[in-house]
């Protein structure tokens, strides 16, 4: 069994504010390092904010985003940072950078691009290829995926687990809708259990135009049991320990693990977990209280309105009330 110390930064980035977003991540990397974390995780496209949309049509914005993720990477030491950003390689990719020791050590490109409802990712991004590597973080073989990649039962998580992953980190910008938290929890629990590996789901929080992101990040063990959760609609920074157990025997006797896949090469990021001193306390995973449906709808309305005003730097708000609507209540 390997004990991995994880820091989750459930943050509220601002679309287009590259400097502020990257500065906040650098501060969180420092806090995670001071807490002895092996890895700190940030949301999908945390550098640019989500969704960046037509800002991606500006070459200067894409270049500045690359400079910003480089600045974030330069702030890392032994603690690995998983950072969402826009990668440019002949085309644009929704990407996650794996950073340590002052540099970007690897990059993952999102494979499943949603193009329904509020999503329009196929307009801006190219589809990432298949998983090419795992990352060795503190002695644990770690796979990286992004948001929609987790929704397919035969997608990247299944492929990475079959190729040797013991833990998968999935970074997200998943909008709120009524009942969404329960839906995510059922789906992710199934994904972790089917893959026989731990699953870290980190979501962003806050409002962006017509979208509201509810946070509610989740962590599951290899049996699909929920072991950690972060609050809804609030930013949070939590550091805690996950016990990663060997999964070979579980996959051997569970037919769901019998996927045909060659082992992926493991890119070593850190040599091994720092041994826990005898008697040192284990940092227990946090478990947030789930809101009622009425409360979460109210918080979604407040969050969306507040951030629309704040992020657009409005100084005043005018509320229009018609006489007709008034007569409906006071005849």
């Amino acid at each position: 069994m390997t004990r991995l110390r994880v820091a989750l930064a459930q943050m509220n980035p601002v679309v287009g504010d590259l400097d502020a977003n990257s500065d906040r991540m650098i501060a969180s990397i420092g806090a995670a390092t001071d807490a002895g974390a092996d890895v700190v995780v940030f949301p999908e496209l945390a550098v640019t904010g989500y969704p960046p949309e037509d800002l991606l049509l500006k070459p200067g914005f894409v270049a500045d985003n690359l400079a910003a993720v480089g600045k974030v990477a330069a702030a890392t030491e032994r603690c690995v940072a998983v950072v969402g950003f826009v990668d440019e390689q002949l085309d644009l990719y929704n990407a996650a950078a794996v950073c340590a020791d002052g540099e970007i050590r690897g990059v993952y490109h999102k494979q499943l691009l949603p193009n329904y409802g509020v999503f329009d990712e196929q307009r801006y991004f190219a589809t990432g290829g298949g998983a090419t590597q795992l990352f060795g973080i503190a002695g644990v073989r770690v796979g990286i995926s992004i948001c929609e990649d987790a929704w397919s039962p035969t997608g990247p998580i299944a492929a990475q687990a079959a190729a040797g992953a013991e833990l998968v980190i999935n970074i997200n910008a998943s909008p709120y809708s009524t009942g969404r938290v329960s839906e995510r929890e059922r789906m992710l629990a199934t994904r972790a259990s089917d893959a026989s590996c731990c699953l870290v789901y980190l979501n962003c929080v806050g409002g962006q135009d017509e979208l509201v992101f509810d946070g509610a990040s989740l962590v599951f063990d290899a049996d699909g049991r929920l072991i950690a959760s972060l609050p809804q609609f609030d930013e949070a920074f939590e550091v805690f320990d996950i016990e990663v157990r060997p999964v070979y025997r579980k996959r051997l006797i569970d037919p769901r693990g019998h996927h045909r896949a060659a082992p992926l090469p493991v890119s070593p990021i850190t040599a091994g977990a720092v041994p826990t001193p005898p008697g040192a306390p284990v940092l227990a995973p946090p478990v947030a209280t789930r809101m009622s449906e009425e409360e979460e709808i109210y918080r979604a309305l407040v969050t969306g309105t507040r951030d629309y005003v704040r992020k657009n730097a409005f100084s005043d708000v005018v509320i229009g009330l018609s006489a007709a609507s008034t007569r409906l209540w006071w005849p």
Side-chain angles (χ1 to χ4, degrees):
M1 180 185 70
T2 302
R3 182 175 296 163
L4 190 72
R5 181 158 292 181
V6 175
L8 299 185
Q10 181 173 285
M11 62 181 286
N12 183 356
V14 178
V15 168
D17 198 346
L18 303 175
D19 289 337
N21 295 339
S22 56
D23 286 346
R24 293 190 64 199
M25 285 187 279
I26 289 170
S28 293
I29 289 170
T33 302
D34 290 344
D38 298 302
V39 59
V40 56
V41 185
F42 298 98
E44 177 181 12
L45 294 181
V47 171
T48 62
Y50 188 96
E53 295 185 319
D54 284 2
L55 287 172
L56 299 178
L57 304 180
K58 300 176 180 291
F61 178 79
V62 174
D64 289 345
N65 141 87
L66 294 172
V69 76
K71 182 174 74 169
V72 173
T76 59
E77 298 176 5
R78 184 190 176 279
C79 179
V80 179
V82 179
V83 180
F85 77 110
V86 177
D87 196 19
E88 183 180 31
Q89 294 184 10
L90 299 180
D91 214 323
L92 299 183
Y93 295 90
N94 185 337
V98 180
C99 311
D101 298 320
E103 61 184 7
I104 297 174
R105 304 287 294 276
V107 173
Y108 172 86
H109 292 158
K110 187 175 183 178
Q111 297 182 40
L112 303 180
L113 302 176
N115 218 55
Y116 55 86
V118 300
F119 301 106
D120 197 17
E121 290 197 21
Q122 292 179 22
R123 177 183 179 189
Y124 301 102
F125 298 116
T127 301
T132 58
Q133 63 180 327
L134 302 176
F135 298 94
I137 300 177
V140 176
R141 296 189 297 273
V142 178
I144 305 294
S145 63
I146 301 175
C147 202
E148 191 82 3
D149 290 340
W151 289 82
S152 171
T154 58
I157 290 178
Q160 291 170 356
E166 298 167 305
L167 178 143
V168 172
I169 294 172
N170 181 260
I171 62 174
N172 293 262
S174 180
Y176 167 78
S177 60
T178 305
R180 191 66 161 171
V181 174
S182 296
E183 181 184 2
R184 290 192 201 116
E185 186 173 329
R186 289 192 301 270
M187 181 273 294
L188 294 166
T190 301
R191 211 61 74 239
S193 178
D194 285 352
S196 295
C197 68
C198 296
L199 176 59
V200 173
Y201 165 93
L202 189 280
N203 196 19
C204 68
V205 68
Q208 180 60 45
D209 294 330
E210 77 278 16
L211 300 178
V212 177
F213 303 98
D214 57 324
S217 301
L218 304 165
V219 180
F220 300 85
D221 68 12
D223 294 317
R225 291 188 292 257
L226 180 67
I227 59 175
S229 59
L230 270 55
Q232 297 166 265
F233 301 106
D234 287 326
E235 291 190 293
F237 180 80
E238 296 284 353
V239 182
F240 54 94
D241 294 328
I242 298 176
E243 292 183 352
V244 182
R245 300 180 181 277
V247 296
Y248 172 77
R249 178 164 175 77
K250 184 175 187 297
R251 290 176 180 167
L252 184 67
I253 62 177
D254 190 335
R256 292 174 298 177
H258 292 173
H259 300 287
R260 294 184 178 275
L264 287 173
V266 180
S267 177
I269 306 299
T270 55
V274 176
T276 303
V282 175
L283 297 184
V287 179
T289 301
R290 181 75 59 83
M291 292 180 179
S292 67
E293 182 175 301
E294 293 80 7
E295 184 180 5
E296 68 177 28
I297 290 173
Y298 173 78
R299 288 294 303 276
L301 292 169
V302 170
T303 299
T305 304
R306 179 201 66 208
D307 280 2
Y308 184 76
V309 172
R310 181 177 63 85
K311 291 182 178 181
N312 286 287
F314 295 149
S315 59
D316 300 280
V317 175
V318 176
I319 300 175
L321 298 175
S322 72
S325 63
T326 302
R327 284 197 296 271
L328 290 175
W329 293 101
W330 292 283

